Amino acid sequence: AQTVTQSQPEMSVQEAETVTLSCTYDTSESDYYLFWYKQPPSRQMILVIRQEAYKQQNATENRFSVNFQKAAKSFSLKISDSQLGDAAMYFCAYPGNTGKLIFGQGTTLQVKP
Amino acid sequence: DVKVTQSSRYLVKRTGEKVFLECVQDMDHENMFWYRQDPGLGLRLIYFSYDVKMKEKGDIPEGYSVSREKKERFSLILESASTNQTSMYLCASSLLGPGPGNSPLHFGNGTRLTVT
């Protein structure tokens, strides 16, 4: 079965510091996309960043970047210069071979002032 | 801007009641999804639809049904609510189909359902 695993239920970071959230997935596909979603206390999930597996270059969106290791099936999210507004639950997601998004268990990020 | 609207933010129902959760999107998206979110389990797909009147089972369809009579509206139905259906329910839509492979999901704000 295709799975997505986030092994860190909770993380904390000091404001302005950098934090990395881990995600691993299982697939036999060679071409696919990977996503990180953020769910703030308001509950609305929003897309943070996405990575195309056939691209060597890691995706970057402002303070958010990924470390994509295709061979290791690892897709971690790095948040630089953390801000209080980054506090949320973060979900890694992979569209399985049927195209339906499979989500990880989520990581709750706390940002300390 | 993209908008997915879920009709209720909080809902309390009794065991055995028939429950309707409504979701409307204004983006002319083909695909719509219902997820259930539980602590430690992430989001699990209940049902999805890639066209009007079309529906497909997700990973946990038991106890649920759906209806999509119009492109913009996707309803989740709990035929006879049970306490183990107490959860957060998230509706989402995406442009490309049948799967969201390269088309991100747009989510509603969620409905927190409590069944007593």
Side-chain angles (χ1 to χ4, degrees):
Chain A
Q2 293 172 317
T3 57
V4 178
T5 302
Q6 294 178 250
S7 58
Q8 306 153 315
E10 295 179 352
M11 294 280 285
S12 67
V13 62
Q14 209 68 36
E15 198 175 4
E17 298 291 311
T18 296
V19 64
T20 299
L21 309 184
S22 301
C23 174
T24 59
Y25 58 96
D26 181 30
T27 184
S28 56
E29 303 290 313
S30 59
D31 189 14
Y32 48 89
Y33 287 75
L34 293 159
F35 302 87
W36 277 99
Y37 282 87
K38 171 185 177 181
Q39 186 181 43
S42 67
R43 298 190 333 212
Q44 181 152 35
M45 298 265 282
I46 54 176
L47 179 67
V48 175
I49 197 166
R50 66 177 169 183
Q51 173 78 43
E52 299 168 77
Y54 64 87
K55 286 190 175 179
Q56 298 285 342
Q57 191 172 7
N58 289 325
T60 299
E61 288 285 344
N62 300 313
R63 297 181 295 106
F64 297 86
S65 61
V66 302
N67 182 7
F68 175 50
Q69 303 287 332
K70 191 173 183 179
K73 297 178 184 173
S74 169
F75 180 57
S76 59
L77 175 69
K78 186 171 85 170
I79 306 173
S80 304
D81 186 25
S82 297
Q83 300 175 359
L84 295 178
D86 295 333
M89 182 168 279
Y90 289 82
F91 291 93
C92 173
Y94 159 74
N97 56 11
T98 61
K100 298 176 289 184
L101 266 188
I102 302 169
F103 286 84
Q105 301 89 334
T107 297
T108 298
L109 177 66
Q110 181 185 23
V111 181
K112 298 178 180 177
Chain B
D1 201 11
V2 165
K3 198 166 176 83
V4 178
T5 303
Q6 293 184 231
S7 55
S8 302
R9 196 157 172 84
Y10 297 95
L11 211 51
V12 179
K13 295 291 181 181
R14 293 195 180 276
T15 301
E17 277 193 81
K18 190 168 185 176
V19 182
F20 292 85
L21 303 184
E22 305 287 346
C23 175
V24 177
Q25 51 97 0
D26 65 356
M27 299 160 287
D28 203 33
H29 281 175
E30 301 291 332
N31 308 299
M32 297 189 74
F33 306 82
W34 275 107
Y35 285 89
R36 170 177 172 159
Q37 181 180 359
D38 299 289
L41 297 177
L43 278 69
R44 293 178 292 167
L45 183 63
I46 305 172
Y47 266 96
F48 69 102
S49 167
Y50 54 86
D51 201 355
V52 175
K53 298 192 185 294
M54 302 298 288
K55 60 184 179 184
E56 287 202 23
K57 293 180 180 179
D59 300 315
I60 51 165
E62 296 78 18
Y64 304 93
S65 63
V66 290
S67 172
R68 194 168 181 199
E69 296 297 318
K70 293 185 178 181
K71 191 175 185 180
E72 67 270 18
R73 185 180 298 271
F74 192 37
S75 304
L76 180 69
I77 304 158
L78 285 66
E79 296 290 342
S80 177
S82 63
T83 55
N84 63 12
Q85 292 179 309
T86 291
S87 186
M88 171 80 80
Y89 291 87
L90 295 173
C91 176
S93 71
S94 69
L95 178 61
L96 299 177
N102 63 349
S103 177
L105 295 184
H106 298 272
F107 285 87
N109 280 341
T111 296
R112 189 174 295 281
L113 172 68
T114 302
V115 182
T116 61

